Amino acid sequence: MIPVNTPVLVGNEKKYLAECIDSGWISSEGPFIERFESALASYVDRKHAIAVSNGSAALEVALAALKIGPGDEVIVPTFTIISCVSAIVRAGAIPVLVDCNDDDWNMSSSEIESVITDKTRAIMMIHIYGLPADVDSILAIANRHNLFVIEDAAEMLGQTYMDKPCGSFGDISTFSFYPNKLVTTGEGGMVLTNDDNLAERCRLLMNLCFQPNKRFVHEELGWNFRMSNMQAAVGLAQFENIDISIRKKRETGQIYQQLLADIEGVVLALPKNNFATNIYWVFGIVINNSTINKTAQDVMAMMSEQKIGTRPFFWPMHEQPVFTNSGIFNDKKYPVAERIARQGLYIPSGLGITESEQHQVASALKQILN
Ligand SMILES: *Cc1c(COP(=O)(O)O)cnc(C)c1O
């Protein structure tokens, strides 16, 4: 079996974990938290970093820190993970969707202004699958309309936008350290900002809003979204190898580009857009259903028979039963997201993949599609 993702834990992970156990610092009060936070903050050029329990929690904290709530609208691409829209809905706010680009699958910045209303408070800018979103255009729109920007850079640690780090933009940015991300802590996430006040609010909100002076007196409701010292220990060790991981991701992507160059009826992940070369968080492909009479689901089933793991693309937010049942998206259509959701999948592209596995994946795919 070639799994869709295999993490690589070959650095100081064991050593740092042993330090946690030997010292007894296993909760969120331990020295690795601060070391991991400051490593990330300086890497993505932000003043503050707050470690949390996962990337979805990071988004919830970001929205709460910005005081986004009932009556507010937040613009978000329909082609994304549930975490983004779930955080908006749980904050009591209204997600307002835009479609994605046909080429890099990122949110379509040209559609944003047409959905701004007097209730719009923020844009959730998400970088998808390996190429950065149209950051400057989105920041300019936000500026013009006085909106907050929440940058979800979960898939993009190590990627840049015009040579500036992803995660350095927006009022607040977030990362995830799930095992398929460039740095993993098993489960984990991070909230980053340059704003002292927002950073303080994030620290309170992710820690049950315990107050520094009156610990058990609460002005607001927060969450226990703390990361443990053990997770941060793994994260720091992972981070020490980030350059190797970035190189490996790009190499994996280039190898697939070569192996699959002559495959017909399939659009491969774009090698670069106007802002960066692809970091190939995952290697996505979209099957052209006018030349190949198969959906992504068909291809995934056939790959699975050959013991190769794949994942479907995101399913658009406006087609999620949990939302269509409540009617919040008014049956609006987003044709690009609808098509790539049905025709798109990604092939094994984790950090642990070998070149010979990539050859196996490519020949299986060619056999299935030709
Ligand atoms: C992975 C991911 C998340 C969620 O992170 P978790 O740590 O799994 O909660 C959020 N946003 C994007 C874009 C992601 O890829």
Side-chain angles (χ1 to χ4, degrees):
M1 178 77 197
I2 302 177
V4 73
N5 178 62
T6 331
V8 172
L9 302 144
V10 296
N12 286 320
E13 288 86 350
K14 250 188 206 169
K15 178 173 166 238
Y16 292 168
L17 270 177
E19 281 179 38
C20 298
I21 291 163
D22 292 342
S23 66
W25 286 112
I26 56 171
S27 76
S28 61
E29 295 188 37
F32 283 112
I33 296 281
E34 213 185 295
R35 288 174 67 187
F36 187 41
E37 287 176 342
S38 40
L40 261 281
S42 86
Y43 186 72
V44 299
D45 203 12
R46 294 238 111 161
K47 191 165 169 199
H48 304 282
I50 299 109
V52 295
S53 48
N54 57 66
S56 308
L59 290 167
E60 296 204 36
V61 169
L63 288 163
L66 294 167
K67 299 188 174 157
I68 288 169
D72 296 335
E73 293 179 356
V74 179
I75 297 170
V76 58
T78 190
F79 188 72
T80 187
I81 191 168
I82 190 71
S83 311
C84 304
V85 172
S86 178
I88 297 167
V89 171
R90 284 192 191 278
I94 300 158
V96 173
L97 304 178
V98 294
D99 207 348
C100 60
N101 303 324
D102 203 19
D103 52 2
D104 66 8
W105 310 322
N106 275 305
M107 75 193 295
S108 162
S109 53
S110 62
E111 287 178 34
I112 295 175
E113 279 195 301
S114 67
V115 299
I116 293 176
T117 71
D118 55 6
K119 293 188 187 139
T120 310
R121 292 279 315 285
I123 302 170
M124 199 177 273
M125 173 171 82
I126 306 152
H127 309 289
I128 300 284
Y129 291 175
L131 285 166
D134 186 3
V135 173
D136 280 348
S137 305
I138 295 168
L139 294 181
I141 294 166
N143 252 329
R144 251 194 320 275
H145 297 272
N146 199 21
L147 308 175
F148 293 122
V149 172
I150 299 146
E151 181 191 6
D152 180 350
E155 304 174 359
M156 230 47 81
L157 186 58
Q159 178 57 295
T160 54
Y161 168 89
M162 305 287 252
D163 297 326
K164 283 184 239 146
C166 287
S168 66
F169 305 104
D171 299 276
I172 298 192
S173 51
T174 63
F175 284 105
S176 160
F177 307 118
Y178 189 71
N180 63 1
K181 306 293 159 90
L182 266 96
V183 158
T184 185
T185 59
E187 300 287 349
M190 192 86 77
V191 187
L192 299 101
T193 180
N194 291 333
D195 184 302
D196 298 348
N197 193 33
L198 282 177
E200 194 188 317
R201 281 188 56 71
C202 289
R203 282 219 184 272
L204 285 170
L205 285 159
M206 57 72 71
N207 190 22
L208 294 168
C209 292
F210 287 134
Q211 299 194 79
N213 303 320
K214 295 176 279 178
R215 184 168 175 87
F216 294 113
V217 179
H218 302 266
E219 304 277 351
E220 215 176 324
L221 290 180
W223 298 268
N224 175 356
F225 283 160
R226 298 185 298 260
M227 177 186 275
S228 79
N229 195 48
M230 295 184 286
Q231 291 167 303
V234 173
L236 184 68
Q238 286 267 300
F239 177 75
E240 291 168 350
N241 284 326
I242 183 115
D243 291 340
I244 296 168
S245 301
I246 294 167
R247 209 177 317 131
K248 168 74 183 177
K249 278 282 185 196
R250 288 212 161 102
E251 267 168 25
T252 302
Q254 279 151 14
I255 290 169
Y256 274 139
Q257 293 286 3
Q258 282 160 14
L259 292 174
L260 299 173
D262 57 354
I263 201 165
E264 274 167 42
V266 176
V267 175
L268 306 180
L270 202 63
K272 61 181 168 65
N273 63 8
N274 290 334
F275 319 120
T277 61
N278 207 324
I279 201 169
Y280 298 107
W281 171 60
V282 293
F283 194 93
I285 63 172
V286 178
I287 295 147
N288 183 343
N289 57 341
S290 57
T291 56
I292 293 178
N293 191 21
K294 289 188 179 73
T295 62
Q297 218 173 359
D298 300 331
V299 173
M300 288 189 299
M302 294 166 93
M303 291 288 274
S304 168
E305 277 169 24
Q306 304 212 25
K307 306 242 179 306
I308 294 170
T310 55
R311 282 277 184 285
F313 270 18
F314 293 132
W315 195 250
M317 291 302 117
H318 69 282
E319 296 194 287
Q320 297 290 343
V322 63
F323 300 134
T324 52
N325 293 342
S326 67
I328 59 170
F329 296 131
N330 302 323
D331 298 328
K332 268 190 77 179
K333 297 278 175 238
Y334 302 87
V336 180
E338 286 169 25
R339 185 176 52 77
I340 67 173
R342 284 160 180 78
Q343 297 302 128
L345 65 134
Y346 61 87
I347 55 182
S349 34
L351 287 166
I353 197 164
T354 64
E355 195 166 341
S356 85
E357 287 174 329
Q358 287 195 264
H359 279 266
Q360 275 175 263
V361 172
S363 49
L365 201 56
K366 285 181 180 174
Q367 192 210 313
I368 288 165
L369 294 175
N370 291 341

